[in-house]
Amino acid sequence: MTPYVLVVEDEDALATLLHYNLDKEGYRVGVAGDGEEALIMANERAPDLVILDWMLPKVSGIEVCRRLRGRAETRNVPIIMLTARGEETDRIRGLDTGADDYVVKPFSMVELTARVRAVLRRIRPGLADDRITVGDIIIDRVAHRVKRGGKEIHLGPTEFRLLDYLMQHPGRVFSREQLLDAVWGSDVYVEARTVDVHIGRLRKALNGSADGDPIRTVRSAGYSLDLDAA
Ligand code: CA
């Protein structure tokens, strides 16, 4: 699953450059030009990483950071702060802003993309790996294979993507709309009920060979992969 990076930067030229380079690295990229737009976009689709400028119009970078940390869906999202030299760097260095890393402008795109990779690897190991293991389930993205308890599980392409996404965020609850956006894409019109159908198939496939249902249905909220509950 392609990590979704949200870039929050009010300088158009820099935003464009970041968009271009992150896209080239294979990330899905969203760009917000101010703090308010960033919060709306993060609410619509939870990013896997946020690159956040410190000095922003409307809502400041630090306030965006605070609000992202205050919301369940974005509480753990990694944030890389962009600062100009001399801009309260000491405070950011202390990272009492809740940011995971910071980069001082001007920076090279090579440096920034290296930081992005490092933060994603540290915080969400699953995003950088070809293979993720959660409990007794192993998903191999290169070979396109899934095993549970050592037994091969056969999944359709949609169920595979759905499981891949859930395995990247074990324990986290996703609404049907969030799963639609992440797995089907936000530009595709599919009814929310479709998610239930595919979750049903995924469940059936996973539970055929092992005890315990790893997919938790959270009433009126959505689904999560929860092996402790299985
Ligand atoms: Ca700025």
Side-chain angles (χ1 to χ4, degrees), residues 5 57 79 88 91-92 119 150-151 169 184 189 191 194 199 212:
V5 178
I79 298 172
E88 298 203 42
R91 198 168 154 208
I92 296 163
V119 167
K151 281 187 192 148
H169 315 88
W184 280 260
Y189 182 76
E191 277 185 68
T194 308
I199 285 278

Side-chain angles (χ1 to χ4, degrees), residues 9-11 53 55-56 105:
E9 172 58 68
D10 59 312
E11 289 166 51
D53 187 26
M55 294 290 273
L56 287 170
K105 294 179 188 176

Side-chain angles (χ1 to χ4, degrees), residues 164-177:
D164 188 3
Y165 191 68
L166 291 171
M167 284 184 72
Q168 286 173 39
H169 315 88
R172 194 164 128 188
V173 179
F174 292 101
S175 69
R176 290 167 179 81
E177 289 72 23

Side-chain angles (χ1 to χ4, degrees), residues 100-143:
D100 298 280
D101 200 355
Y102 72 98
V103 176
V104 179
K105 294 179 188 176
F107 50 82
S108 73
M109 285 298 146
V110 173
E111 181 192 354
L112 185 91
T113 50
R115 296 282 192 99
V116 166
R117 269 197 306 274
V119 167
L120 284 175
R121 219 175 8 243
R122 191 172 73 231
I123 297 175
R124 299 261 173 82
L127 285 173
D129 290 345
D130 296 336
R131 179 190 271 235
I132 314 176
T133 304
V134 178
D136 61 352
I137 305 175
I138 300 170
I139 187 164
D140 184 328
R141 285 123 151 219
V142 176

Side-chain angles (χ1 to χ4, degrees), residues 26-42:
Y27 302 111
R28 246 172 117 151
V29 187
V31 176
D34 62 59
E36 213 170 82
E37 194 184 359
L39 291 167
I40 292 167
M41 285 177 74

